[in-house]
Amino acid sequence: MRKFTAVKLPIFLFLILSQICKAEKIGDAYWQQEVNYKIDVTLADDERTISGKIEIEYINNSPDTLSLLYIKAFPNAIQKNSYADEKRRWMNDYSFASLKPIQEGSLNLESLNKEICTVELDNTIGRIDLAKAVLPADTVYLSFSFTTVLPEPDNMRMGLNGGTTKAAYWYPQMCVYDREMGWVNSQYIGWGECYGDFGKFDVNITAPEKLVVAASGILLNREETLPDELREKLDIRNYLKPKDEWPLFDFDEGKNKTWHYLAENVNDFAFTTSSDFCIDSGSINGVKVVAYPLKNKAKRWETAVRLGKEAIETFSELYYPYQWPVMRICDAFSGMEFPMITNCSGGEPSPRFALLLYHEIGHQWFMGQVGSNQLDRPFLDEGFTTHLEHVAMEKYLGREGNYDYFTNWYLKRYAPPTEDRNARGFLPLLDVIKKGYDKPMIFSYDQGEEYYPYRYSAYYKSSIMHYSLRSIFGDTLYFEAMHYYCSKWFFKHPYEDDFKEAFEHVTGKQMDAYFQQWFYSRKRLDYAFDGIKKEKKNNKYNYTVKIKRPGKFISPIDIAVIWEQGDTTFYTVAPEGMGYNKPGYVMLPEWEQFRRLSDEYQFKVEAQRQIKKIVIDPGNLLLDVNRMNNASGFLPPIELRIDNLKYDRTPVNRYALRVRPDIWYNDGSGVQIGFHSHGSYFENENKFSLDFKLGAEDGKPGIDFSYSHPSKLLGYNSSVATRVLRADESIYISSSIKKHFKPFYSRP
């Protein structure tokens, strides 16, 4: 055995120790910064000017030495010639260009310890130059005086409107420095704004005595700001009565009071104020739910606390328990989320009031407690939250019609029902996909050329990814994986690979190639029924079912075999590495698509009875761009309705067929009686229109038939059309090819 010398032994030990340290670093490479704030401010009598002092404790947990820091000054976006104005003008929106100085927002700050740092603002982002670099594991203490003027009327989530002040992005907040992106310091243009480091906020807000101030965190001096007598006067029950029975208040116009809020383990802080708030409250699972309706909307907000409790109970049960002690819901003229507080508008009886509350409270999970980067990975928050919204809407309001708000008898009688998962999911996304304007899910909001394609990708494509995951694994395993993801990443900053790894950990499946399609590609998912062959032998039927994949997106799929007796057998076929045998499903052999790129598949079924129908994706959970080829049979699934001439909606899963009787009159034929019919899939595929009429006087028929369909040769926004017209005892036939060139989805 070779012996080590005394000189070589320390070198050998050093190499061993370095490898151990390296292994520990690889195994525990995650880090995040910690930022703590102490803020003392005064809200002026104009209810939009906020001034005071902020002290910031910045703890550098990164492995990097930082010689400069970045800080946000988002109210500066709402100014003429700001970066946000420049972006809007590029999109032909000149609303900021016409702002008057009195309407603009602003945030100005000055360092109070110039020997430590200086700050220079570039519109909404400030660069902090440090006199001494912050080493790893070191801390720097910063102090600033600042004045914020919120816009009036409100804009970009903040401002004063109708006596209600939304103080969002109102203080100088440190930009995030993270392991994935480094500095996340993009200019604020109004999209993708929420991303902050976790820490503690100790905030004193001095405001006119008449105002009720709702904020993130726990109110530490309730006895001073909301004593029992005042709280009783502000109770919502008092404002369900006629206005002449409302309580009277005697506030001193020149007097202020200070609201002291403490919020721990949060990544942002907001507050909302009004002299017109009343208060309702309740609790669920130890969480206090407080609603702040405007007094004149008290009746429409009676359900707000109940809806808040439903959201917290449902999301805590299915995803992960809500970790903060309070949830505040403010009636503040738009929907927006911040830790422990949401701003919402509307009210009962519209179900969209429930939708808004479920959605904004849902953000507490994937913006608030799972601190997703909403600027560079908006889908990790917005899409996940939209899916939470769908879950709650369908649990408490059912599926069909849960999006409807019909206000007159004609709507109630004739408007077809809609559902949230389609109205805010499948329908707008499939529409933008079919027109070719969709985007990959991974993008940075400030780089978007226009808003809606990016919104649909962040909100709707991401939410539908979750339906696909539920289809693949079933609800039990899906929610188990989501629970694991939350438990691992609550109060941290995850990215897409962390989400993928959570699902791989729980399911044990290889999902990298599958998720790459969602995250980075624009591949279309389209699986189609391709025929069935039947052989009868010895009183048994041997079926060979054929499936094809016209699209490029690869996914596990469910197949329903419906028997002539009406019962159904469910099968699952998956690409390599993704096969999961859900309870109640028969697992078929793998369909090798990722590596062999096979686009055809067949499987056999033996039975002593006959098959009535084959349906791919019977739950309609996949983002299938052509659901008309998903089933056997000559005709696709059809939704037949009377054409009521005014109210209609595009069905997602069926061909829309509309008919109505019609009556005409002309001099030659007199009264003409007939009918009109039209149909399409997604308003442009297999589109037809038929008018038939018969003259009461001359008995001559009139026919006007047209048909069009997108042209594969010409690509998106094209069609090949034919029209046949019989009139005046003549037949006219015309054909056309159309191509619509429009570089942007939502710009003129």
Side-chain angles (χ1 to χ4, degrees), residues 615-635:
V615 180
I616 298 172
D617 184 26
N620 293 314
L621 296 175
L622 302 180
L623 188 58
D624 197 316
V625 298
N626 184 11
R627 295 180 177 180
M628 298 298 96
N629 62 13
N630 284 11
S632 60
F634 179 72
L635 293 175

Side-chain angles (χ1 to χ4, degrees), residues 463-588:
S463 69
I464 290 167
M465 177 183 68
H466 286 266
Y467 283 112
S468 293
L469 293 170
R470 291 169 67 178
S471 171
I472 295 167
F473 298 114
D475 280 359
T476 299
L477 194 60
Y478 163 80
F479 284 115
E480 183 181 334
M482 291 303 297
H483 180 90
Y484 175 79
Y485 173 67
C486 291
S487 68
K488 186 174 181 180
W489 291 103
F490 256 32
F491 307 118
K492 296 187 177 77
H493 299 312
Y495 279 83
E496 62 276 3
D497 285 342
D498 305 309
F499 177 69
K500 173 186 71 74
E501 288 165 6
F503 264 81
E504 289 182 332
H505 174 84
V506 172
T507 66
K509 299 302 172 186
Q510 304 168 18
M511 301 193 67
D512 187 69
Y514 174 77
F515 275 119
Q516 292 291 323
Q517 301 171 110
W518 283 107
F519 297 158
Y520 299 104
S521 85
R522 297 174 63 241
K523 293 179 180 178
R524 275 59 173 134
L525 188 151
D526 184 14
Y527 285 88
F529 172 78
D530 197 30
I532 184 170
K533 181 180 178 182
K534 178 176 70 174
E535 295 179 346
K536 187 176 182 181
K537 186 176 181 181
N538 299 329
N539 295 322
K540 275 190 174 182
Y541 294 98
N542 295 318
Y543 297 95
T544 301
V545 181
K546 296 181 180 180
I547 306 296
K548 64 180 179 179
R549 178 172 55 86
K552 298 297 184 183
F553 194 106
I554 296 170
S555 172
I557 59 172
D558 293 337
I559 303 167
V561 174
I562 304 171
W563 303 97
E564 61 180 357
Q565 291 81 5
D567 59 321
T568 303
T569 302
F570 293 98
Y571 296 85
T572 294
V573 59
E576 55 269 39
M578 289 191 66
Y580 175 71
N581 196 2
K582 292 179 293 192
Y585 286 73
V586 178
M587 194 72 204
L588 296 171

